[in-house]
Amino acid sequence: MLLTNARIATLDDNDSYGLIEDGAIAIMGARIEWVGARTELPAPYQALEARDLEGRLVTPALIDCHTHVVFGGNRATEFELRLNGASYEEVAKAGGGIVSTVAATRAASEDALLSDALTRVDAMIAEGVTMIEVKSGYGLDVNSESKMLRVARAIARARPIDVRTSFLGAHATPPECRGNRDAYIDDVCIPALQAAHAEGLVDAVDGFCEGIAFDASQMARVFDVAAELGLPVKLHAEQLSNIGGAQLAAQHRALSADHLEYANESDAEAMAASGTVAVLLPGAFYTLRETQAPPVQAFRDHHVPMALATDCNPGSSPMASPLLALNMGSTLFRMTPLEALLGMTAHAAKALGAEDRGRIVPGMRADLCVWDITHPAELAYRVGFNPLHTRIFAGRQ
Ligand code: DI6
Ligand code: FE
């Protein structure tokens, strides 16, 4: 395939959009073969069947590198109770909170979880997403964690999209463990990880390092098992407080540390040294009405690559719109539109260890979006507006 008459934002370095006017992209199979100005197209590619994009903008396709799209039920009733003045205790008594999602997820069949997840995945695809990360973490027992990850794998068979799975057994302590976090980690979470890995269901290992979830020493035990299994790690860190999660992630050369509202300069330094991506999640910041934004300037100063994701989940970020995440990254976190776009393309790919995509350069995967706009800053600028014209996944429309 040959795309012509395109305005191309190659994102081939991190300092500019790498814009090419009147550009062409030659695609062979699933890979980009050549990209440049149409007038410089080498002779062998001139014979390819051309598609005239009529001056539209082409970018790398979007990657949502932090989602919890597989879960049972939803928490709209809890949302409504709260807005009617119910206290946290009343919400808990009415069966609300993360525990209610665990109960609904355990009760649901794989088919039901899949069709529910696909409603959210389809919304992402409609906005140009070609790769998502999907976490477990609402099963919290050996069978239910594997069930969630089987559903995550099934998404990639049901739709033209790539899925990377993360085992998030260390997300919360289930009711049957009665708050005994250490016992949960050792007797349930680690065996669940080993079982899911044995079934080929795990691409990375994640955890929620927070006062209300697990501390750094508990997470370290899970990460040691990940290392034994040869799996990369990532971590929900410093979302509501700083308890050393980013430092732990850096020590374990994590692919990413995510949220990071309470991270500081020395966390940024440690992440830069370990090559850990900072994944910023403005949907959760917005939904929880947080006031402390992540230290974007420190990440810039220390050259920590920043990614952006929806964190799509039923509690803290019921959002399935990557374009809204781009807008919120700029509006709420003051990321530039270029940083936001890199955050859902090249840097999101790096956060997933999938560095064969996210930029438009020869050899990379031909995962592309054609947009009905003229400048890439328009992607982060508008709210509730989807200019996607065509999505190309692995070289196919
Ligand atoms: N951070 C969050 O904000 C969510 N999980 C996490 O690790 C909350 C998930 C939920 O409330 O269902
Ligand atoms: Fe999350």
Side-chain angles (χ1 to χ4, degrees):
M1 179 169 24
L2 178 69
L3 306 176
T4 59
N5 197 6
R7 203 151 188 245
I8 307 168
T10 59
L11 305 181
D12 62 342
D13 66 53
N14 295 334
D15 302 322
S16 74
Y17 291 109
L19 277 178
I20 299 174
E21 301 294 341
D22 192 10
I25 304 173
I27 298 168
M28 304 283 256
R31 302 269 148 201
I32 296 165
E33 277 279 312
W34 187 89
V35 57
R38 185 184 48 86
T39 51
E40 289 160 24
L41 185 69
Y45 302 127
Q46 285 170 14
L48 292 174
E49 187 195 334
R51 250 198 85 185
D52 185 339
L53 297 185
E54 298 167 338
R56 292 187 179 89
L57 179 76
V58 182
T59 68
L62 301 185
I63 297 171
D64 194 344
C65 69
H66 181 139
T67 88
H68 310 243
V69 290
V70 174
F71 58 83
N74 69 66
R75 307 240 284 274
T77 321
E78 171 187 333
F79 178 68
E80 186 156 43
L81 276 174
R82 283 232 184 92
L83 288 168
N84 278 301
S87 70
Y88 187 78
E89 270 187 334
E90 288 164 328
V91 168
K93 271 198 197 128
I98 194 165
V99 193
S100 70
T101 301
V102 173
T105 304
R106 286 177 176 179
S109 69
E110 287 185 30
D111 284 349
L113 287 173
L114 177 62
S115 67
D116 215 15
L118 288 177
T119 62
R120 298 180 274 276
V121 172
D122 285 342
M124 292 169 173
I125 288 174
E127 292 188 2
V129 172
T130 53
M131 183 187 224
I132 55 173
E133 181 257 17
V134 181
K135 302 175 193 298
S136 67
Y138 291 117
L140 309 184
D141 65 37
V142 174
N143 291 331
S144 307
E145 285 292 299
S146 284
K147 175 173 79 174
M148 286 187 70
L149 294 173
R150 279 195 293 274
V151 173
R153 288 274 191 248
I155 291 170
R157 294 191 292 272
R159 293 292 186 271
I161 193 165
D162 281 333
V163 171
R164 289 284 192 279
T165 59
S166 296
F167 175 85
L168 180 59
H171 190 199
T173 311
E176 64 273 16
C177 290
R178 290 184 183 76
N180 192 341
R181 299 175 188 187
D182 281 310
Y184 171 71
I185 290 290
D186 298 328
D187 302 340
V188 182
C189 178
I190 288 172
L193 168 56
Q194 287 160 331
H197 174 259
E199 224 184 296
L201 296 173
V202 185
D203 297 326
V205 175
D206 195 353
F208 188 19
C209 191
E210 191 58 62
I212 56 168
F214 300 99
D215 65 26
S217 75
Q218 289 159 338
M219 280 318 312
R221 297 214 292 283
V222 180
F223 282 1
D224 287 342
V225 176
E228 281 165 29
L229 300 175
L231 294 170
V233 300
K234 47 181 52 235
L235 192 63
H236 290 67
E238 337 302 10
Q239 180 186 5
L240 309 167
S241 60
N242 191 316
I243 63 162
Q247 296 287 341
L248 176 77
Q251 278 157 28
H252 289 260
R253 308 202 74 77
L255 287 172
S256 70
D258 304 38
H259 286 289
L260 298 168
E261 278 82 347
Y262 287 81
N264 56 37
E265 184 102 23
S266 78
D267 296 330
E269 248 169 74
M271 289 169 63
S274 62
T276 300
V277 176
V279 177
L280 306 183
L281 305 167
F285 175 89
Y286 165 86
T287 300
L288 299 176
R289 307 186 78 226
E290 293 290 327
T291 51
Q292 178 159 328
V296 164
Q297 190 57 46
F299 295 137
R300 270 183 203 129
D301 292 344
H302 293 279
H303 305 287
V304 177
M306 289 181 279
L308 261 176
T310 62
D311 195 16
C312 180
N313 77 65
S316 65
S317 190
M319 169 166 103
S321 170
L323 289 171
L324 185 53
L326 288 179
N327 172 264
M328 287 178 167
S330 292
T331 305
L332 298 175
F333 292 168
R334 315 308 292 164
M335 294 169 80
T336 67
L338 171 60
E339 287 169 337
L341 184 57
L342 282 164
M344 291 205 97
T345 54
H347 293 162
K350 185 171 165 60
L352 296 179
E355 288 176 76
D356 65 335
R357 61 195 76 195
R359 303 183 196 271
I360 304 181
V361 296
M364 290 243 175
R365 265 277 294 252
D367 288 353
L368 305 169
C369 283
V370 182
W371 308 98
D372 268 321
I373 54 176
T374 50
H375 194 277
E378 291 177 61
L379 292 171
Y381 157 68
R382 289 200 183 81
V383 186
F385 176 80
N386 180 3
L388 186 70
H389 180 268
T390 306
R391 190 191 75 129
I392 295 170
F393 172 68
R396 301 167 83 118
Q397 190 175 320

